[in-house]
Amino acid sequence: MNTRAWIVFLDESGVSLLPQVRRTYAPRGRTPLLRHRLNWKRTSTAAALGYHSTDPARGARLCFHLRPGSYDTAGLIGVLEQMKVFYRGERVVLVWDGLSAHWSRAMRAWVAGQDWLTLERLPAYAPELNPVELLWSSLKKRELTNLAGDHLADVADATEQGIHRINHNPQLPWSFLAHTGLTIHPPHPPHPPNLRNDQ
């Protein structure tokens, strides 16, 4: 493995008009009601969190993709084509799970022609090792909580707002990685220049 590369974790999820129901506050005796359209259409989302293997000062990088329906091999190759532009001139080690579309014959043939990209597989049944799972959790506990949109576009917009929130907080992606128990050396990013550590 190239030691001077971006280690990128990728995962897919889906959002629909069915709200992510969470506890909330309401006046005593007035149970809050969520009224929503019973619609099973879904928008699929893919997110990739990247960490440089040797230079944490370069920060974490977040890529995000939305599409109607679900991802297949062709759709994921499209995501990787966008990632190639995003990481132009950089080496990438992509870490993802054992989804059949990730390891299909067509995917492996496409990757074989990509000198910038190496694939690594997460252990089976170990979603807790993927920091992108923490990103999904953050979205579902905040922007998507109790959201009863009229259209899929409402849910997609809320998802994008959450991605922007995470992208503008440089410490959140590192906290997602720390929560997995995995480390990338050196394991901790430097303090932002406007913070002091007097210890």
Side-chain angles (χ1 to χ4, degrees), residues 73-158:
T73 295
L76 287 169
I77 288 174
V79 171
L80 297 182
E81 290 278 13
Q82 290 187 18
M83 188 183 296
K84 181 178 182 178
V85 174
F86 189 76
Y87 285 99
R88 187 184 303 278
E90 305 271 10
R91 298 278 306 164
V92 170
V93 177
L94 184 67
V95 184
W96 57 8
D97 60 28
L99 185 72
S100 59
H102 293 171
W103 300 98
S104 67
R105 182 177 298 173
M107 176 64 76
R108 285 183 278 122
W110 182 84
V111 170
Q114 308 299 312
D115 61 359
W116 62 280
L117 183 63
T118 302
L119 297 185
E120 294 290 341
R121 184 172 181 161
L122 284 166
Y125 308 109
E128 69 279 2
L129 295 180
N130 193 334
V132 182
E133 293 286 353
L134 281 299
L135 179 146
W136 300 139
S137 179
S138 178
L139 292 176
K140 291 173 181 178
K141 289 178 180 175
R142 189 156 170 182
E143 281 78 14
L144 299 180
T145 290
N146 299 328
L147 174 64
D150 291 325
H151 305 282
L152 270 176
D154 299 329
V155 183
D157 287 346

